[in-house]
Amino acid sequence: MSRHETVFVPEPANQRSLRTALGSFTTGVAVVTATTDDGPIGMTANSFASVSLDPPLVLWSPAKSSRRHTPFVTAQHYAIHVLGADQHDIGERFVYRASDFSGLDWFENDEGVPLIAGALARFECARWTVHDGGDHSIVIGRVLRAAHREGEPLCFSRGSFGSFAGKG
Ligand SMILES: Cc1cc2nc3c(=O)[nH]c(=O)nc-3n(C[C@H](O)[C@H](O)[C@H](O)COP(=O)(O)O)c2cc1C
């Protein structure tokens, strides 16, 4: 075992350490979108994961503390956009600006969900189930339609956006 390893029992006082440990799991970056009475909303999320191929199910987890939690867990339909490395600005935008679609190339699907053009992959979902996940909800959706394109992924690791350095 490394002498430099930090071992701890997760508790409120050391939540920063738990965040650091969890942040070691490098992920892609997604933007989840849905419609509200006030218009389209989006949220940058890296909790996206595949669940099932048949039926086609995917999940993501919005924080209960988020102002966007209620609209996202109640939405009957939503879309998950996996961002390409060239969409870094979109990932940053939807961390803070939930309803700012200005200047974006976007359109609505048959269910009225805002779709952002140019994603590396896109999953148009119908809500399947919502589970309790502590201070987050776990939203599972059935994929109605999916799309993908060639390109490099946007990544997130230890608190920073970056790119994938593959072996080529
Ligand atoms: C890379 C990245 C991934 C994130 N993933 C999630 C996520 O999976 N679930 C979540 O609730 N918030 C996630 N966030 C935070 C939200 O994007 C957003 O900052 C948060 O909802 C802001 O709170 P508000 O909705 O009250 O404005 C992530 C932020 C970043 C930068």
Side-chain angles (χ1 to χ4, degrees), residues 16-157:
R16 172 64 44 192
S17 294
L18 181 59
R19 280 175 178 269
T20 301
L22 292 168
S24 305
F25 187 61
T26 300
T27 66
V29 180
V31 169
V32 187
T33 58
T35 304
T36 71
D37 291 344
D38 299 325
I41 56 166
M43 191 203 278
T44 300
N46 66 346
S47 54
F48 169 72
S50 59
V51 174
S52 165
L53 291 175
D54 185 16
L57 303 176
V58 295
L59 71 75
W60 78 289
S61 307
K64 291 178 181 173
S65 61
S66 167
R67 290 169 294 146
R68 300 169 236 186
H69 178 265
T70 299
F72 274 119
V73 297
T74 55
Q76 294 298 320
H77 295 93
Y78 57 94
I80 297 174
H81 305 75
V82 176
L83 300 184
D86 54 343
Q87 295 181 301
H88 181 225
D89 55 331
I90 299 177
E92 292 210 318
R93 170 192 300 233
F94 287 108
V95 174
Y96 299 109
R97 288 155 33 215
S99 46
D100 181 7
F101 281 65
S102 60
L104 285 183
D105 181 7
W106 68 278
F107 53 100
E108 288 185 1
N109 71 3
D110 289 349
E111 291 78 29
V113 176
L115 303 183
I116 300 168
L120 202 59
R122 186 179 67 227
F123 303 92
E124 295 170 56
C125 300
R127 193 180 60 172
W128 181 266
T129 52
V130 178
H131 301 270
D132 181 55
D135 58 14
H136 284 60
S137 293
I138 302 165
V139 182
I140 298 183
R142 183 187 177 103
V143 180
L144 303 178
R145 290 176 290 276
H148 62 89
R149 67 164 172 88
E150 290 292 308
E152 296 298 320
L154 181 63
C155 300
F156 191 74
S157 185

